[in-house]
Amino acid sequence: MPSYALLGQSALSGVFIGALYGLLGLGLTLSWGMLRQINLAHFALVFLGAYLTYQLGAAGMDPLVTLALIAPAFFLFGAALHLLLARFKVNALNTLLVTFGFMVMLESLIQWIWSADFRRLESHYGDVKWKVGELFVPLPELLTLALACGLALAVWAALRFTDLGKAMRATAEDAPIAAAFGVNEKLLSLLLSGLCAAFAAVAGMCLALSHTLAPSQIYAWIGVVFAVVMIGGLGNPLGPLVAGVVIGVSEGLTMAVTAPVWAPLVSFSLLIAALLLRPEKF
Amino acid sequence: MRFIWRAAALAAMTALLWSAHAQQPVRIGSTLALTGPLGSAGNIQKVAIEVYIDDLNSRGGLLGRKVEWVLKDDQSRPDLARTLYEQLATVDKVDLLMGPYGTASILSAMGVAQRYGKILIHNSFGTPRLAKYDMQFSASGGAGDPENVWPNLVFDAVATAPKPPKTVAIVTTKFPSAHSIALGAREVAKKRGLTEVLFLEYEFGNRDFGAIAARVKDAKPDFVFAGALGLDGVLLLDAMKKIDYQPPMHFYTFPAPGPMLKLPEAKNALALTTFEEHPPHTGNPQATQFIQGFRERAAKASLPSTSVDLLSTIAYASWQVLEAAVSGARSLDDKALAQWLRQSQVDTVMGRLSWQGTPEGPPNFVMGKDIYKVKQLQDGKWLVVWPKEFAAPGAKLIGP
């Protein structure tokens, strides 16, 4: 029988990795659910953000401060990408193909600049951890959890309680009708697309804080984050975080009590269950 | 008179053609994993081979002809490696083939080499029992039964610690080569009377090592044997650090050398190697030249680590084997080269290699012994600590 400390630490580790899944899925769910764009380039943007954090961090900048530079730049990139997709009226399925192309191009760019070798951000955050009872709480993971919760709640509240958010939801529901009520659909879509890319910058910073980077690792996250986004519900900002934590904790506990090799089955079993039980959400 | 003129013209033409042929480079084709999950290893090997080819061409090349390396990127994909080797054999029509990086891609290339009757010298084939082709030759320095030889080597090494381990936790990726070695470690540990307190397998590409680290900590082993490749060891150590755990002794099969060096918690980590940048390995001019050339090129290629170690050395040695075979057989004929290698020994930068196989083992593999060593990360440097005769001057295995 595993000890309580082992189970607790494994569950906590699951919460932290789940928060990262949620953060990675936040931009993806918004662009998929509200803009009808299945943006695979989002994963490459996350890694580009991580590499830029690494580069600026190596130059002496605090990783959190790097967001002041990277997030606005990514916002512009996201808006430009949306302009391009809108200009050529790319439908949802084709966005998958087009953005896959962008993902490969961004991966090549990352590899060209930073090589295929592993890169690791050395920061003072990595050395800080606290002991709470029997459990250890590392600062980079805690930051990721805080940012994931903060951003998901902020976006949820903005969409629910502000005029801008209501207009965005109306546009996602029925763009022509929303436009008839005076909603500037094009501007809102640009804004949302930019925000999704900026969220990728935040996820990238968190990734750089807690993980060693390699360009090929972009692909390692796609499966589980897609599962998180689909289980969480498309366009629902809180969904990926909740689904991410559920999957992370399930994986963590699976690894604690059985062979770790079973853990990846958990996320996809949950996805299949969600697809079977809530087909109307997809 | 007319006859004499015609004969002279024919002779001149023949001489010109012969001279033109002699001027044509020997084209040697291979792929490497320059991108994809094995990209970091592939890029290290590319630099090492470029150093070797530069040196080879400065010495006149092979049989008096310069060498041209036709390199393609297999993106760490065995299926693509197969296609590219087909291209090398049929479209590029290279004179010779050399192996790619990684077990699965080598297996793909081996099938193509067999189809076209080409010799294949490779350097990173982790599951020799799968090699059935009699014109494949490993230049990795490994035995035909690494699942037996390497765990024994590692357990011999840790037995020299001030307090030899009595319990072991074996944690391994399911990646085939590392996995079979970890399974071998289970058997070897059992035979040696060590108690296995934990055995865990995880999928290759696992992202979260938190729970695995917690289980290792919970099991309280004296020694952690990690069947870990590339980044796995770094991720596991990271996860252990986060729960304030440092294993008393820890081994990683083939870790990414650069990131491990920079990780304070990797202190005293053990790993396998064939060559490190210290005596007695550096005691010959060729090693010195290799180290210098590699450092320069690796810096230009922006590799995170410019030190020569296992990955670069096996790549360099595989081309040394090729050169020795061509020079020894005085031919580029694949069968002649294979025949020469089966009967010969080659002194490489990492030691003497031979291919006198046994009926019970895979073709051209020596069983039961090899040239591998155990290295340990001490004061930010990888130092060989076992066997004693290859240990860095004054270095001993540090343990609890």
Side-chain angles (χ1 to χ4, degrees):
Chain A
M1 180 66 190
S3 66
Y4 288 117
L6 169 60
L7 289 174
Q9 194 67 56
S10 302
L12 189 62
S13 165
V15 170
F16 289 142
I17 193 79
L20 190 55
Y21 294 158
L23 202 47
L24 276 150
L26 179 59
L28 194 65
T29 195
L30 293 176
S31 67
W32 192 346
M34 302 185 76
L35 298 172
R36 305 287 183 267
Q37 292 171 355
I38 311 171
N39 186 7
L40 278 175
H42 187 77
F43 294 94
L45 271 182
V46 169
F47 269 77
L48 183 61
Y51 272 94
L52 288 170
T53 306
Y54 157 79
Q55 195 65 52
L56 294 170
M61 194 180 274
D62 186 285
L64 283 175
V65 178
T66 62
L67 280 180
L69 292 175
I70 301 169
F74 274 36
F75 181 90
L76 294 177
F77 179 87
L81 180 66
H82 180 77
L83 272 180
L84 186 76
L85 295 174
R87 167 70 182 77
F88 291 100
K89 296 186 171 60
V90 184
N91 66 32
L93 186 62
N94 287 345
T95 57
L96 189 73
L97 301 173
V98 173
T99 56
F100 177 76
F102 279 114
M103 179 171 70
V104 173
M105 287 161 67
L106 283 171
E107 185 203 357
S108 300
L109 177 74
I110 290 169
Q111 183 156 311
W112 181 60
I113 298 172
W114 288 284
S115 85
D117 220 316
F118 305 113
R119 304 282 163 170
R120 186 182 168 78
L121 172 69
E122 303 295 339
S123 89
H124 56 280
Y125 291 105
D127 297 327
V128 183
K129 60 176 176 285
W130 297 280
K131 193 172 183 199
V132 181
E134 288 291 301
L135 306 182
F136 289 88
V137 183
L139 178 59
E141 276 77 359
L142 195 63
L143 265 175
T144 303
L145 179 64
L147 282 169
C149 292
L151 279 178
L153 280 169
V155 173
W156 173 78
L159 287 176
R160 194 170 176 86
F161 301 118
T162 67
D163 289 343
L164 190 70
K166 286 172 186 168
M168 278 182 178
R169 283 163 55 207
T171 304
E173 197 72 31
D174 194 326
I177 296 291
F181 280 86
V183 172
N184 188 340
E185 182 251 342
K186 286 181 182 165
L187 187 67
L188 289 182
S189 298
L190 277 180
L191 182 66
L192 186 58
S193 191
L195 276 176
C196 291
F199 294 152
V202 179
M205 189 274 294
C206 293
L207 194 72
L209 273 180
S210 53
H211 284 71
T212 303
L213 307 172
S216 61
Q217 296 223 321
I218 292 171
Y219 303 97
W221 295 86
I222 294 177
V224 70
V225 174
F226 258 89
V228 156
V229 165
M230 294 181 79
I231 294 168
L234 303 180
N236 176 3
L238 292 176
L241 179 63
V242 174
V245 170
V246 168
I247 285 180
V249 172
S250 310
E251 284 184 346
L253 290 177
T254 305
M255 285 197 259
V257 295
T258 67
V261 78
W262 292 104
L265 293 181
V266 171
S267 48
F268 294 103
S269 303
L270 286 171
L271 176 62
I272 290 166
L275 286 168
L276 291 174
L277 299 173
R278 301 194 315 161
E280 73 283 357
K281 291 279 182 186
F282 303 101
Chain B
M1 188 66 183
R2 188 181 286 176
F3 171 77
I4 293 172
W5 274 110
R6 280 184 181 168
L10 191 65
M13 273 179 67
T14 309
L16 268 173
L17 282 173
W18 178 256
S19 156
H21 174 73
Q23 293 307 311
Q24 278 180 352
V26 176
R27 300 179 77 231
I28 300 174
S30 78
T31 74
L32 280 178
L34 299 178
T35 54
L38 305 175
S40 62
N43 280 286
I44 291 171
Q45 292 219 321
K46 177 174 179 271
V47 170
I49 294 169
E50 285 171 347
V51 171
Y52 190 80
I53 292 174
D54 276 0
D55 175 49
L56 179 63
N57 280 333
S58 73
R59 291 186 278 112
L62 292 174
L63 303 178
R65 291 162 62 189
K66 296 283 182 195
V67 168
E68 180 191 331
W69 184 25
V70 183
L71 172 66
K72 296 173 190 267
D73 176 14
D74 62 37
Q75 299 174 20
S76 310
R77 287 169 47 201
D79 57 321
L80 184 58
R82 182 180 297 111
T83 306
L84 294 176
Y85 272 88
E86 285 276 357
Q87 278 181 17
L88 288 165
T90 58
V91 180
D92 297 298
K93 294 191 186 333
V94 294
D95 297 296
L96 294 166
L97 290 175
M98 287 294 279
Y101 177 77
T103 302
S105 290
I106 292 172
L107 208 53
S108 293
M110 213 179 278
V112 179
Q114 187 164 14
R115 193 152 49 249
Y116 294 98
K118 307 289 284 179
I119 188 173
L120 190 77
I121 299 170
H122 52 83
N123 63 51
S124 46
F125 194 61
T127 323
R129 66 174 181 277
L130 297 178
K132 307 292 180 199
Y133 181 40
D134 66 353
M135 289 219 291
Q136 59 75 33
F137 293 86
S138 169
S140 71
D145 52 346
E147 65 280 2
N148 166 46
V149 175
W150 289 347
N152 271 306
L153 180 73
V154 173
F155 284 111
D156 280 346
V158 295
T160 65
K163 192 180 160 197
K166 290 180 180 159
T167 60
V168 60
I170 298 174
V171 181
T172 179
T173 171
K174 290 273 278 184
F175 193 86
S177 50
H179 187 247
S180 71
I181 292 156
L183 294 183
R186 293 189 86 179
E187 295 301 316
V188 172
K190 197 173 162 188
K191 279 181 194 161
R192 289 170 177 249
L194 274 84
T195 306
E196 181 185 288
V197 290
L198 182 70
F199 177 74
L200 289 180
E201 295 164 313
Y202 58 85
E203 284 298 341
F204 181 59
N206 183 49
R207 294 169 301 275
D208 181 20
F209 281 82
I212 296 175
R215 284 188 75 172
V216 174
K217 183 181 181 182
D218 211 43
K220 299 184 183 70
D222 295 336
F223 176 46
V224 176
F225 186 107
L229 299 177
L231 207 52
D232 290 359
V234 174
L235 294 173
L236 181 59
L237 281 164
D238 252 345
M240 286 173 173
K241 178 189 171 191
K242 283 169 187 166
I243 55 172
D244 213 19
Y245 174 66
Q246 174 80 32
M249 275 194 277
H250 46 146
F251 164 82
Y252 307 86
T253 316
F254 294 119
M260 204 86 157
L261 269 177
K262 293 174 187 161
L263 209 62
E265 47 277 19
K267 191 177 84 171
N268 298 340
L270 300 163
L272 293 170
T273 190
T274 52
F275 181 98
E276 293 299 319
E277 282 189 5
H278 59 68
H281 309 269
T282 49
N284 65 75
Q286 194 163 29
T288 312
Q289 191 184 351
F290 173 38
I291 291 167
Q292 193 181 342
F294 184 84
R295 280 183 180 166
E296 285 167 11
R297 273 193 178 263
K300 276 186 198 160
S302 302
L303 295 184
S305 170
T306 58
S307 298
V308 165
D309 70 351
L310 174 70
L311 279 174
S312 47
T313 314
I314 55 177
Y316 192 85
S318 61
W319 282 70
Q320 285 186 297
V321 170
L322 178 74
E323 185 190 355
V326 171
S327 305
R330 295 179 187 282
S331 169
L332 293 175
D333 177 71
D334 293 273
K335 285 184 180 149
L337 298 181
Q339 184 63 19
W340 187 88
L341 279 176
R342 281 189 207 105
Q343 296 167 348
S344 311
Q345 295 182 326
V346 177
D347 284 320
T348 70
V349 71
M350 60 189 190
R352 180 168 291 177
L353 302 182
S354 62
W355 297 271
Q356 285 83 41
T358 50
E360 70 273 16
N364 311 322
F365 274 95
V366 175
M367 301 294 282
K369 60 176 181 178
D370 68 16
I371 63 165
Y372 273 71
K373 294 109 189 167
V374 175
K375 63 181 176 180
Q376 188 170 41
L377 193 51
Q378 297 183 0
D379 296 327
K381 282 182 185 170
W382 285 109
L383 301 177
V384 172
V385 291
W386 186 261
K388 275 181 191 169
E389 61 269 31
F390 296 104
K396 272 193 213 168
L397 187 136
I398 298 174

